[in-house]
Amino acid sequence: MTGWDISPSGVEFVTSLVQDAMDDVAKDVKAYGTDVESAATSAGTISGPYCGAAPTGAIGAALALFVERTAGDVLFLGARAAKSVNGAHEATAHYVLGDEEMAARAQRRALAAPRIDLPGKGEGGGEK
């Protein structure tokens, strides 16, 4: 990769904006989990009176299934952003040292999709 013209301060500025956005997304994901749980509990059931914990109704079950099926996608967003930011920092550091080949390798590694292992799926059984 010849002809790179990187502004290290520009990379730092842009990646700091991405990190701020990642923090906001993390807060939103946490709120999403709380809100979905509240919605599932509040949806109720079509059963009569009960003692103890409320049974899960159709809406609650559907919400749980939705969260389970989209968990990998949600985790991928954060992992992809983090890998991109780290790769930009690593590639820029190699560039500053004058090693454009190592910078190019760091950039290629950062472009590869991150591996996501979902909790409860066993080692290596998560999304890729």
Side-chain angles (χ1 to χ4, degrees):
M1 290 229 151
T2 59
W4 283 26
D5 186 15
I6 297 173
S7 164
S9 62
V11 171
E12 183 60 37
F13 175 73
V14 171
T15 56
S16 72
L17 294 176
V18 173
Q19 287 171 328
D20 289 344
M22 287 168 51
D23 291 342
D24 289 343
V25 169
K27 290 175 192 170
D28 291 341
V29 168
K30 185 175 181 180
Y32 161 78
T34 302
D35 293 345
V36 167
E37 185 177 331
S38 175
T41 302
S42 299
T45 67
I46 56 174
S47 66
Y50 50 86
C51 294
T56 301
I59 301 298
L63 285 170
L65 186 59
F66 174 78
V67 169
E68 180 183 318
R69 296 273 171 90
T70 59
D73 296 334
V74 172
L75 292 173
F76 183 86
L77 292 172
R80 171 76 273 171
K83 190 170 184 182
S84 296
V85 167
N86 292 337
H89 282 282
E90 184 181 350
T92 302
H94 289 299
Y95 171 81
V96 167
L97 294 173
D99 193 342
E100 289 185 9
E101 180 56 36
M102 285 298 291
R105 277 192 224 140
Q107 181 184 36
R108 283 191 299 275
R109 281 191 309 269
L111 291 173
R115 180 186 169 116
I116 306 298
D117 283 322
L118 295 175
K121 297 288 186 179
E123 188 172 291
E127 301 286 324
K128 293 181 182 173

